[in-house]
């Protein structure tokens, strides 16, 4: 049975702490259940929660256990409709998808700042322009990320040299048990000089919890491994 949750206690008893659960729980902490554009569901089989879902506008995130009823979930998505479904590759669905690797890091590595500074409260317009979100509307991005920052479920960082941004990173989801690192970018002329790894190490040290990432196949694996990240699964985004 899949049911909509109506208050923030609806996921009590959920034990998964994967990147998808962190994303769902962070959204719930950010917006609660009072907004129509953010809704949440759980699947119950034999009295146990076997899957949890969030929907932000038309974009779903799904976390499942081995006991989840995948046929019921597929029927739910077909009936409800969706723009995208972000989940692990344990959930197979007859639609086209992009996929890649999930990694996590529990390590807190030492880092040194030399001639650069970290801004933990950058101007979001400057950050947006630096990251160069090609298909993202600034207004909707700004409203969402600033709301999350105010509620302690996101945090933005830039590494600056002489007041110019040379690297960036965003914890786009933060809970007590995990955080998700996104928008990691280093200016081309400063790559290979340790600036990007310095910023990522500083971001991981800034939170007490595990830090997750989603990366594309064949991209930046050794960069993250040097910082203590471990491959632990695969992500899919069905569209």
């Amino acid at each position: 049975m899949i049911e909509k949750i109506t208050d923030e206690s609806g996921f009590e008893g959920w034990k998964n702490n994967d990147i998808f659960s962190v994303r769902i729980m962070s959204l719930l902490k950010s917006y609660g259940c009072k907004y129509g554009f953010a809704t949440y569901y759980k699947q119950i089989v034999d009295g146990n929660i076997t899957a949890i879902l969030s929907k932000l506008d038309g974009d779903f995130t799904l976390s499942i256990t081995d006991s989840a009823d995948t046929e019921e979930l597929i029927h739910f998505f077909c009936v409800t409709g969706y723009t995208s479904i972000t989940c692990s590759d344990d959930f197979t669905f007859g639609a086209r998808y992009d996929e890649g690797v999930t990694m996590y890091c529990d390590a807190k590595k030492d880092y040194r700042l030399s001639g650069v500074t970290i801004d933990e409260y950058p101007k979001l317009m400057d950050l947006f322009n630096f990251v160069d979100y090609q298909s993202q509307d600034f207004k909707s991005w700004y409203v969402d990320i600033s709301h999350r920052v105010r509620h302690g479920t996101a945090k933005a960082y830039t590494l600056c040299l002489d007041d110019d941004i040379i690297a960036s990173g965003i914890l786009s989801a933060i809970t007590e048990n995990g955080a998700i690192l996104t928008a990691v970018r280093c200016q081309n002329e400063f790559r290979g000089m340790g600036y990007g790894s310095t910023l990522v190490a500083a971001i991981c040290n800034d939170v007490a919890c595990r830090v997750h990432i989603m990366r594309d196949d064949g991209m930046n694996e050794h960069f993250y491994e040097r910082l203590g990240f471990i491959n632990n699964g695969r992500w899919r985004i069905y569209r």
Side-chain angles (χ1 to χ4, degrees):
M1 177 178 65
I2 296 176
E3 61 182 52
K4 185 177 180 179
I5 73 164
T6 56
D7 61 68
E8 295 185 27
S9 66
F11 291 147
E12 284 183 1
W14 181 252
K15 300 190 184 328
N16 275 20
N17 191 34
D18 59 4
I19 186 172
F20 312 105
S21 296
V22 171
R23 185 170 172 173
I24 294 166
M25 295 298 191
S26 176
L27 183 67
L28 179 60
K29 185 179 176 182
S30 298
Y31 289 103
C33 300
K34 61 184 178 181
Y35 297 103
F37 58 80
T39 52
Y40 316 87
Y41 305 85
K42 60 184 176 183
Q43 182 189 65
I44 300 175
V45 176
D46 295 330
N48 298 310
I49 302 177
T50 55
I52 63 172
L53 308 87
S54 67
K55 181 184 178 185
L56 181 62
D57 294 323
D59 297 313
F60 279 94
T61 301
L62 167 69
S63 179
I64 65 173
T65 68
D66 293 338
S67 302
D69 184 340
T70 55
E71 289 187 7
E72 182 183 47
L73 289 166
I74 290 170
H75 179 72
F76 172 82
F77 288 124
C78 290
V79 170
T80 306
Y82 63 90
T83 303
S84 69
I85 305 168
T86 300
C87 57
S88 75
D89 65 349
D90 293 329
F91 179 69
T92 54
F93 187 49
R96 67 181 183 89
Y97 58 84
D98 300 317
E99 66 178 337
V101 179
T102 60
M103 304 182 80
Y104 73 84
C105 179
D106 292 323
K108 308 300 178 185
K109 291 192 174 285
D110 294 334
Y111 65 93
R112 295 175 57 188
L113 297 175
S114 179
V116 293
T117 58
I118 295 176
D119 186 352
E120 297 184 7
Y121 302 96
K123 294 180 180 178
L124 292 181
M125 173 65 87
D126 293 341
L127 177 59
F128 182 88
N129 290 334
F130 179 78
V131 174
D132 191 20
Y133 290 97
Q134 296 181 354
S135 60
Q136 178 73 58
D137 172 68
F138 172 73
K139 183 177 180 180
S140 59
W141 176 88
Y142 175 83
V143 168
D144 182 50
I145 196 68
S146 59
H147 179 89
R148 292 172 186 257
V149 169
R150 289 196 306 272
H151 286 78
T153 57
K155 191 170 182 179
Y157 306 80
T158 55
L159 190 71
C160 300
L161 176 66
D162 297 330
D163 296 324
D164 293 324
I165 300 174
I166 62 172
S168 69
I170 298 175
L171 293 177
S172 59
I174 303 172
T175 70
E176 292 180 358
N177 299 316
I180 301 174
L181 178 60
T182 62
V184 176
R185 181 175 182 267
C186 187
Q187 198 79 286
N188 289 341
E189 58 265 38
F190 293 101
R191 291 180 179 174
M193 301 170 67
Y195 291 118
S197 58
T198 293
L199 181 58
V200 171
I203 293 172
C204 289
N205 281 1
D206 194 41
V207 291
C209 56
R210 171 173 290 183
V211 177
H212 301 265
I213 64 165
M214 294 168 55
R215 66 172 178 82
D216 292 331
D217 283 319
M219 295 291 291
N220 302 317
E221 181 174 9
H222 298 306
F223 170 82
Y224 286 108
E225 284 181 337
R226 288 196 301 270
L227 290 165
F229 282 82
I230 300 168
N231 293 330
N232 72 318
R234 297 188 64 79
W235 58 265
R236 282 186 178 177
I237 301 179
Y238 293 96
R239 304 183 190 280

